[in-house]
Amino acid sequence: QRIASLLNWRVTSVAVASLLLLNGLANFWDAKPRYPDYQGLAEFLESKGLTCGYAPYVAAYPLVYLSNERLIYTPALHEPEYDRYAKYTAFFTHAENPAFVFVDQAGADHFRQGLTDLNTSSKEQPWGLFQIFHDLAPNVDMERLRSATRGQAN
């Protein structure tokens, strides 16, 4: 009886360890990226000629850094309180075709609605976790655009 209980304990331990190992391996192979691919986004934007625009703080400055300033993006529309470099923002007062990058669907939906309210069309492209708007027609004054999408962009 003592041998049977010892054997039962070992079999149970091996079974539990095997299940934990299989669960860990299954989670490893099913893992999704934890962070957005900013390098890939930078390459995509550059390949499309979308070299300047607005993006949330978490995306704007990584895009600038990763592109060695070939891309200039600012959080001035999304989160003006995090606009850290006025030189980048000033650049957009004369930009002809800024892009607008969103990291969440709700922000993109609100922005799209703001464009509709202003009778403005745009081209829209998803890339990974991001939604990108560009080629606004007619071109809209940033203050009007900011007012139409205030409290909505992210």
Side-chain angles (χ1 to χ4, degrees):
Q1 186 174 18
R2 185 178 164 143
I3 293 175
S5 70
L6 183 61
L7 184 59
N8 191 21
W9 179 82
R10 286 185 179 176
V11 168
T12 302
S13 297
V14 168
V16 168
S18 297
L19 286 173
L20 289 172
L21 180 63
L22 285 173
N23 185 41
L25 290 174
N27 286 335
F28 176 76
W29 268 282
D30 198 28
K32 292 182 173 64
R34 291 181 168 208
Y35 303 103
D37 179 11
Y38 295 120
Q39 183 66 50
L41 177 61
E43 291 168 4
F44 173 78
L45 291 169
E46 203 165 357
S47 75
K48 297 293 182 184
L50 302 172
T51 58
C52 65
Y54 299 88
Y57 179 80
V58 298
Y61 295 121
L63 289 171
V64 173
Y65 175 78
L66 291 169
S67 70
N68 200 23
E69 293 189 326
R70 288 185 308 275
L71 300 176
I72 303 295
Y73 279 78
T74 177
L77 175 71
H78 296 72
E79 302 156 311
E81 67 274 16
Y82 294 119
D83 186 12
R84 306 265 188 239
Y85 197 51
K87 181 180 173 185
Y88 291 162
T89 305
F91 177 76
F92 294 109
T93 59
H94 304 293
E96 289 185 25
N97 182 28
F100 300 85
V101 177
F102 292 86
V103 296
D104 67 356
Q105 191 58 48
D109 291 342
H110 291 299
F111 185 77
R112 191 179 301 109
Q113 183 59 50
L115 291 178
T116 300
D117 294 346
L118 293 170
N119 292 323
T120 301
S121 65
S122 70
K123 292 182 181 174
E124 189 175 339
Q125 289 186 268
W127 189 90
L129 302 173
F130 303 96
Q131 197 68 24
I132 303 155
F133 295 81
H134 58 95
D135 292 324
L136 274 59
N139 221 350
V140 179
D141 173 68
M142 281 311 300
E143 285 308 314
R144 286 185 62 218
L145 185 58
R146 188 175 283 116
S147 293
T149 60
R150 185 166 311 282
Q152 301 170 354
N154 265 331

